[in-house]
Amino acid sequence: MISATEARGKTEAVNNNGVECELKRIEHEIEKAISKGDNNIALDGTISHPTANYMRQLGYEVHTGSQYNESYFTIKW
């Protein structure tokens, strides 16, 4: 049986990997928007709280919402 400390460490690693994947996806979308001259993106789905907080620390505006029971989020710079 693994210890609670080991279990916490493994959980943190999974969560960190998830945030990294989210950030890569978002960065790709931001780069595409910049190349079109846009200053915001809107994506379907949800954004995790850690990712949203990190984006806010970088100076982005992050908003979440839903319409017709479908989630989305917007990021502005």
Side-chain angles (χ1 to χ4, degrees):
M1 175 63 103
I2 66 171
S3 70
T5 301
E6 288 175 295
R8 253 189 312 280
K10 288 182 177 188
T11 299
E12 286 177 15
V14 167
N15 289 337
N16 289 339
N17 187 40
V19 169
E20 285 179 32
C21 289
E22 251 182 336
L23 288 171
K24 285 180 184 179
R25 173 183 172 227
I26 291 168
E27 184 176 21
H28 176 74
E29 295 298 328
I30 289 172
E31 292 292 338
K32 284 178 20 181
I34 289 169
S35 70
K36 296 177 189 175
D38 294 336
N39 67 343
N40 65 77
I41 58 171
L43 299 172
D44 293 334
T46 60
I47 185 171
S48 70
H49 290 288
T51 301
N53 290 337
Y54 181 72
M55 297 295 294
R56 288 182 182 112
Q57 289 175 354
L58 293 175
Y60 291 92
E61 292 179 33
V62 180
H63 300 280
T64 60
S66 66
Q67 186 173 7
Y68 307 116
N69 293 326
E70 296 292 327
S71 299
Y72 67 91
F73 61 97
T74 61
I75 299 175
K76 298 178 183 178
W77 55 91

